Amino acid sequence: MKKIKHIKFIYLCICSLSIASCSIDEVKPINQLTDENVIRDKESAQNALNGVYKQWREYNTGFLPIHLAAEGNEGFITGAISGSTGMNLNQVDPDNDYLSSVYNNYYAIINQANIVIEKLENGSAVGIDEPSKLQMIAQSKFNRALAYFNLLRNFGQFYDLSSNYGVVVRTKFSRDVEAQKRNTVQETYNLIIQDLEYAITNGPKNVKHYYGGSLAAKALLAKVKLTSKDYTGAATLALEVINNTENYGLETTYAAIFTNTYNSKEVIFAPYTNLNTTEKDVSMNQINRTTYSTILDKVADAQVAGAGNLTGNGSGYDSRFLFAYSANTKGTNKQGKYPFNSSENTGVGNTNYYLRMAEMYLIYAEAIVRSNGDSSLALTKLNNIRARSGATAKVFTTKEQLLKDIREEKLLELFFENGECWYDLIRYHALGDVSAFTEKPSLKSVNQFILPIPLKAMIGNKLLEKNPGY
């Protein structure tokens, strides 16, 4: 029987013992993982953890936001991009090798996080103080939770808590694929939430934005709680992130987020990138082979009086849309959010924006409305985001309209970043707030809301049940 091997290499870096001074880009491959050579002391434990972080820069995973935008309502793929066949029309085949690569990389992150957790918990790392050990375990659990959340939202029925179509949950390190049935959606959420609660309690504070500290875990858990319909929990956590004491906050201008990338005070978690090294960036320069959707164009045009125009600095559109697409600001990659040319050897490079502060405002707003809270609080946070873009403040009419306004604001704020607009469309459809079939006519069935389990994964795990409709 053909087996798909887990990645047997962990990437280690030569760095000092502390997170603050360890450069995440200085990573070299070493020998195959064994019980003897992986984690022996504080230094090797820190190195192994940096190997987990490095996996977020894996080439195919790095430009997944392009595919997610095409699946949803954000844009279209217009040129040759690996794995793009069928994405625009939501007709993706299980034998898509690109999907197999992304799927396997998420499990590589999980597998590497598992060994760090195991070795630290069982005392294999000698001479490590208890606070450092707990912080490393917390960061490993943050990474594991983020990988499982991404797996669940792309390959599982994340929007249905009663569904059996979760993903395979593994919490132990393995060198080979072991046949295992899928866990339920609720079981998958349970592990994600458990990991993030641990990471909030034990994770480090005031770390660089490419590390998953306590605040990043709290921000991710707010998103998970919203997705899993714990709206009160989501609102509470999102507000705590907004009111943080670690100097995170909204940038004064939208453009500053993408100029500063992971150094932006608004970015809560994004992979480390550096074009001055061999590590480079996340290959989002391929966004130059995409364009915006008619829905995004329509919503952006509706924010400002007059016909939309993208010549020069542009006019008649929401300022965020103009920043991304007007002639004077769209930049070398034809989309202003990703301004760095990956073939050059200068600059920090493009990154993926997994968590940023503006989304916390909008999570809070939606969660307040869905938990039957004070709508004025939701409206205030929504208008905080609109004020930065120069858009007219929204006024309350009905709960239904406010939810629509929040969803459209997320589209305007987060397009082509991390698929949130696509996941929102699915969630809102499942909750009866919008018809995804109307908003994107290529959608004909709820089966298209998630991707097929890759054929190679099915071959490697004979107990793995395929997704409905594929």
Side-chain angles (χ1 to χ4, degrees), residues 305-326:
N309 186 337
L310 293 175
T311 59
N313 290 326
S315 61
Y317 281 115
D318 182 271
S319 65
R320 292 160 289 191
F321 184 82
L322 289 177
F323 165 74
Y325 291 112
S326 71

Side-chain angles (χ1 to χ4, degrees), residues 73 226 231 235 238 299 303 320 358-386 392-415 420-425 427-428 431 433-434 439:
N73 55 359
L226 182 74
Y231 302 122
V299 173
Q303 308 308 308
R320 292 160 289 191
E359 186 182 359
M360 294 299 110
Y361 279 68
L362 298 173
I363 286 174
Y364 175 81
E366 182 185 343
I368 285 292
V369 176
R370 293 199 185 279
S371 61
N372 295 314
D374 185 347
S375 295
S376 67
L377 298 175
L379 192 64
T380 296
K381 289 294 185 285
L382 169 64
N383 284 329
N384 287 156
I385 302 303
R386 291 181 64 77
T392 303
K394 294 288 186 179
V395 296
F396 180 79
T397 54
T398 64
K399 173 183 173 180
E400 292 73 22
Q401 182 61 45
L402 183 53
L403 284 171
K404 179 183 178 184
D405 290 341
I406 293 166
R407 184 173 70 88
E408 289 186 347
E409 194 67 21
K410 285 181 81 173
L411 176 62
L412 292 167
E413 183 71 24
L414 302 174
F415 61 91
E420 294 305 324
C421 310
W422 170 224
Y423 306 134
D424 280 354
L425 182 59
R427 288 193 306 107
Y428 273 66
L431 292 166
D433 299 317
V434 69
E439 184 144 330

Side-chain angles (χ1 to χ4, degrees), residues 18-163:
S18 69
I19 291 175
S21 59
C22 178
S23 178
I24 204 168
D25 64 311
E26 296 170 354
V27 213
K28 312 293 181 188
I30 65 160
N31 293 331
Q32 175 175 310
L33 288 172
T34 70
D35 289 343
E36 292 76 27
N37 74 359
V38 177
I39 297 174
R40 305 171 304 279
D41 51 26
K42 187 174 182 178
E43 181 177 9
S44 59
Q46 182 63 65
N47 292 340
L49 177 58
N50 277 289
V52 177
Y53 282 112
K54 179 181 172 64
Q55 286 298 113
W56 292 107
R57 282 207 311 273
E58 188 273 336
Y59 179 75
N60 285 323
T61 305
F63 62 91
L64 180 61
I66 292 174
H67 295 290
L68 298 177
E71 278 193 276
N73 55 359
E74 302 164 53
F76 302 104
I77 296 172
T78 57
I81 296 179
S82 176
S84 63
T85 302
M87 289 291 180
N88 286 335
L89 297 176
N90 306 94
Q91 297 174 359
V92 183
D93 291 330
D95 62 354
N96 186 313
D97 284 340
Y98 170 83
L99 284 188
S100 181
S101 174
V102 171
Y103 183 91
N104 286 340
N105 188 57
Y106 284 142
Y107 275 109
I109 292 169
I110 291 163
N111 204 38
Q112 292 182 34
N114 283 344
I115 198 168
V116 176
I117 295 166
E118 286 179 28
K119 293 301 180 182
L120 290 173
E121 288 183 339
N122 70 17
S124 294
V126 298
I128 182 170
D129 57 280
E130 189 69 10
S132 294
K133 182 181 80 171
L134 294 177
Q135 288 183 5
M136 290 181 191
I137 294 172
Q139 291 177 79
S140 299
K141 290 191 173 185
F142 167 83
N143 280 277
R144 184 168 72 178
L146 180 56
Y148 270 126
F149 191 45
N150 287 347
L151 278 167
L152 182 62
R153 292 195 296 175
N154 289 309
F155 299 99
Q157 293 179 340
F158 70 94
Y159 53 89
D160 181 0
L161 298 179
S162 66
S163 172

Side-chain angles (χ1 to χ4, degrees), residues 29 64 114 175 179 197 199 209 213 280 287 313 344 351 354 377 417 453:
L64 180 61
N114 283 344
R175 291 180 182 83
E197 287 175 342
H209 301 188
K280 299 297 183 181
I287 202 166
N313 290 326
E344 295 179 352
T351 190
Y354 286 104
L377 298 175
E417 289 188 32
I453 298 294

